Each structure stands twice: as structure tokens, then as C-alpha cells.
Amino acid sequence: MEKCFLPILMFFILGILSGSVVKAEDPYKYYSWTVSYGTASPLGVPQQVILINGQFPGPTLDVVTNDNIILNLFNKLDQPFLLTWNGIKQRKNSWQDGVLGTNCPIPPNSNFTYKFQPKDQIGGYTYFPSTAMHKAAGGFGAINVYARPRIPVPYAIPAGDFNLLIGDWYKSNHKGLQQYLDSGRSLGFPDGILVNGQTGTTFSGDQGKTYMFRISNVGLSTSFNFRIQDHKMKLVEVEGSNVDQNMYDSLDVHVGQSASVLVTLDQPSKDYYIVASTRFTRKILTSVSVLHYTNSHTSVSGPIPAGPTYQVHWSMQQARTLRWNLTSNAARPNPQGSFHYGTITPTRTIVLSNSAYLINGKKRYTVNGVSYINADTPLKLADYFNIPGVYSTNTIQAFPNGGAPYLATSVMPASLHDFLEIVFQNNENTLQSWHLDGYDFWPVGYGSGQWSQASRKSYNLVDALTRHTVQVYPNSWSVIYVSLDNQGMWNLRSAMWERQYLGQQFYIRVYNPIKSLANEYDIPSNALLCGRALGRHS
């Protein structure tokens, strides 16, 4: 009897354990998206746009921290296509990053299934096409990563969520814009600003209730200032960081950045202007939407609220007021400030200077004198299959050297767990915006003129927020700290798409010679192969 009972007991225990494992697994969410062309008239002129499931902008991804996203993307365009998930860190998984350095583009009439998690992340993000000039035609949308129910957020749950995808827009076809750039010319000044694919739209709410406005700059080149007539905005989250809840009359949002504000409808019952206008531009473009109180019978009236125009110092001062909320939880039940970035000595300092040059008679943009060109094989595949000659790790240097500019497929090597100080030095008269895939980072300092070691005295080493995109003001510098804890091949690029397309980007290869699934996932079984990786076996 005892011999018979033990196997039954073991079977019962194993059944409980296996059941608990299944129950503990993070949820799966499945999506099927089709990318196609369509016609729209966002600025009053019919033009070709990129639709996702027939929508412009594309569908919103509403997910919860650590959800497993399985997204099958069908490409019905006449060109290869990729989506990148702006701000999603792709932990140990640069295979899913969706840029040309990590993925083969999806050929026309083909599909690829992305598989990734917003691992230990919360907040508002976006996705957009990373290929050619597709971003100028649409294909972008919002990603909302909500906290798990057992993780409290540091504010009362709002009555509703509004996504505002705001960005500059051109009337020209994206292929025509690409030909402009390929010929060595610039895109010129945009034709207008869109909000959710329109020149303006209406957002409705009940008087006395509070709503969250998730604001993202999905444009190609232009910062904007956002404001709501007669209403204060409480900033609560920036690119995954819960922040000190300061009140703002208006907020600057630069290309590639996102921010979430709470707005209480505490004014008399009527309609109010919602305004986005360009910053640091001689000509001011403005988009006007409407905040409609549901019990309102009075249309918007009066002058449109004016915003700042060129005031660089004003914007820099506002940027310094964005601080991490050190007492709140984020994606996990521990305070956001428990990682004391300010007490860590950087292992390396890297100074990156952006410039515009003529190379071979055509306009190009550079980082430390190197203008990036895409290889015929994704760098990640070249790395995995040990294919030589695809990229170079000795072209781009850690400091500007003043040499003649040149073209290269540039990769900067780094070691897993390096802690970097990266200085973005902008000696041009235009504002720059820089994004790093695979990470968030601490923007610890902003300043005018040339950065020097003495500039470190002005760093915020206590409560700088974390984010994925940082602005660099004209003739100024910005500094970030970043902990390289995510192995892979990661794109560091200008978020301003003309500059990215014409070379202002490179890749950081974060590497550990000991191969381990604890550091990085293996190549996906469905990975597309192209270029010199074609015919290899994953």
C-alpha cells in the first residue's frame, strides 16, 4: 500500500507545481495587423498615407506590465517595412527592436511575428515605422503600459485616458520626401501640425472629473508646446517614470518624447482650446483642438492661448523641473529611487557631437564626424553568424577629433554592466533630440555653450527622472547617465528623422563574451534572414 501511495502523492505534488507555474506566467495578448496604403487629407490635400488595420494613426496597444505581446504584422506595401517600439526596452531581446541594425525588413506581401514584453515598464510610449521615410506617411500609434493591479499608482485613477499623437506633417508623398533627401536636399519646413491624424479634434469630459492626457511627439523634426486654455496640467509620468507632480500652464515636448498629465475639468461649463504650437521656429505652426465639457452649450471663444516661441532658457529651466518621484512605485513594488545612480562612478565618458556636412557633394549628418550608412545585413545577424565586414567597431570614436567627415556602418563596442556618462554636444543653432533603444537613462544635466569637466558640478545626482529621449538645446549640451544592463545591439540615433536618415545615428554593441540566456535570448525561430545572412540556419 505504501509503495502505491508514494507515486500517487508525487503525481499530486507535481500537478500542483505545474499548475502554479502556468498560473504564474505573464498573460499573452495576440494581435494581427495589416499595413497598407490609403488616402487621407489631413491638411486638406489628398495624399497617400500608411494605415494599420485601416486606421490612421494605427491602433492603440493597451497592455499591462510584463504582458507577452504576440503581434503578427502583414506588409501590404510595395516596399520593405518595419515597426519599432519607441521606449520599450526589449529586455535581453534586441532581436525584436524593429530597426535595420537588428531586423531584416518585412518584404512586400510577407509577414513577421513580433514577440516581446514591456518588461518591468509602465507609462505612455509610441510605435512607428523605422524604414525609409515611412514615418512621414503614418504607421504610428500609441502604446499604453498600465501598472499591474497590485501595484498602486501615485495618483487617483482618472475618469478616462486620452492619447494625443502630435507632430509636424508634410503634404508631400513619403517617397518624394525620400528622393529629396537622397538627392542631397533638406525636407524644408513642415506644412502643419496634426493631432491624431487631424488638424484638430475634440476631447469630451464631465465637469468636475479628472482625465489623463498622454501626449507624444510623433513628428519628424519639430518640438511643440502643449497647453489647454484656462486649465492647469499636473505632470505625473514621463516615458515610464512617475515624476514629482508639478503643475504647468504649458509643457514643451520634443521629437520622440512622451509625457502624461492629469487635467481636472474644474472651470465653468463651456468649451476650451487645446493648443500645440511649434517651438524654436521662425514661423509658428499651430494646431487647435477642443476640450468639450459634456454639459457645455458654449463653443470655444476668445484668443487662442499664446505659448512660448524661441525662449531657450525658459525651456531649459522647465526641463530641470522634471524630477523623479522617489517615493512612488513604478512597475515593481519598490521606490523608484532605490537605485542610487548618483553614487556610481561612470566607467567611461563619451562625448558625441552632431554636425551637418557635404559628403560626396550631398548633405549628410554626422556623429563625431561619422555619417552612418545601413549595411546590406542587419548588424545583429552579422554578429550572430560571425559574418565579417558588415560593420566596423573602430570608426566612431568616443570623442570628436575634428577630422574630415566620412561614411561608415559604425558600431561602438561596450561591455555589459558598463555605467556610461554620455555628453551630447550641440554646436548647431537648432535644437536636437536623441534617442537610445533598449534603455532608459538619467538626463543629469543641461547647459549652454561647451561642456567641460567643470559642468559636472551642475548635475542632478539625486532625483533625475529616467527617460529614453533627451533634447539638446541650440549651442548647448545635455548629459545622460546610463547603466548598460541590457545585452544586445542597440540604436543610438537622432529622433529627428531627416537627420537619422542621413546618417546621424550609430549602434552600441553591449556584449559579454560568456554566452548565457540569463544575459540575452537566442535568435528567434522565425527570424527573417537577408543580405549575407540569407540561407543561414538560425
Side-chain angles (χ1 to χ4, degrees), residues 376-396:
D376 62 357
T377 306
L379 316 183
K380 188 64 184 168
L381 291 180
D383 218 17
Y384 181 81
F385 291 117
N386 294 315
I387 303 172
V390 173
Y391 64 84
S392 171
T393 58
N394 57 14
T395 48
I396 189 165

Side-chain angles (χ1 to χ4, degrees), residues 241-436:
S241 282
N242 292 325
V243 296
D244 283 352
Q245 297 177 8
N246 297 324
M247 304 296 292
Y248 296 89
D249 294 315
S250 71
L251 195 65
D252 279 355
V253 184
H254 308 283
V255 180
Q257 294 184 342
S258 297
S260 299
V261 299
L262 294 178
V263 179
T264 300
L265 277 57
D266 55 3
Q267 297 300 304
S269 176
K270 61 185 288 291
D271 292 355
Y272 297 87
Y273 293 114
I274 298 175
V275 185
S277 59
T278 57
R279 295 284 275 117
F280 319 114
T281 57
R282 291 181 180 178
K283 178 182 177 182
I284 306 300
L285 297 176
T286 301
S287 176
V288 180
S289 296
V290 173
L291 174 60
H292 170 70
Y293 281 44
T294 52
N295 60 344
S296 165
H297 300 287
T298 306
S299 300
V300 290
S301 60
I304 296 173
T309 53
Y310 196 80
Q311 297 95 317
V312 171
H313 181 71
W314 181 95
S315 185
M316 190 182 294
Q317 286 294 94
Q318 183 181 81
R320 291 176 177 139
T321 68
L322 275 56
R323 301 295 183 100
W324 220 5
N325 184 340
L326 299 183
T327 62
S328 75
N329 302 321
R332 291 180 289 181
N334 60 297
Q336 292 193 106
S338 59
F339 186 90
H340 296 293
Y341 70 96
T343 64
I344 301 173
T345 301
T347 54
R348 291 172 64 192
T349 295
I350 296 170
V351 179
L352 303 175
S353 178
N354 51 269
S355 299
Y357 291 100
L358 285 179
I359 302 179
N360 300 328
K362 293 184 178 181
K363 188 167 190 175
R364 298 287 301 187
Y365 296 99
T366 67
V367 186
N368 287 359
V370 183
S371 186
Y372 184 88
I373 52 174
N374 287 305
D376 62 357
T377 306
L379 316 183
K380 188 64 184 168
L381 291 180
D383 218 17
Y384 181 81
F385 291 117
N386 294 315
I387 303 172
V390 173
Y391 64 84
S392 171
T393 58
N394 57 14
T395 48
I396 189 165
Q397 302 302 311
F399 294 88
N401 59 16
Y406 60 96
L407 306 174
T409 304
S410 45
V411 173
M412 184 175 288
S415 297
L416 185 65
H417 301 306
D418 276 354
F419 191 82
L420 302 186
E421 175 188 43
I422 301 180
V423 180
F424 295 99
Q425 180 66 54
N426 178 18
N427 297 325
E428 299 183 72
N429 293 324
T430 56
L431 182 139
Q432 307 295 315
S433 187
W434 288 92
H435 170 84
L436 175 60

Side-chain angles (χ1 to χ4, degrees), residues 201-221:
T201 187
T202 297
F203 302 90
S204 297
D206 297 332
Q207 189 176 29
K209 293 184 178 179
T210 299
Y211 295 85
M212 178 171 283
F213 288 74
R214 299 178 183 268
I215 310 155
S216 294
N217 189 329
V218 295
L220 297 179
S221 63

Side-chain angles (χ1 to χ4, degrees), residues 91-93 95 117 380 516-517 519-523:
R91 295 289 305 171
K92 304 187 293 185
N93 201 17
W95 302 106
Q117 282 184 294
K380 188 64 184 168
S516 169
L517 293 178
N519 293 334
E520 185 174 22
Y521 299 142
D522 207 347
I523 185 172

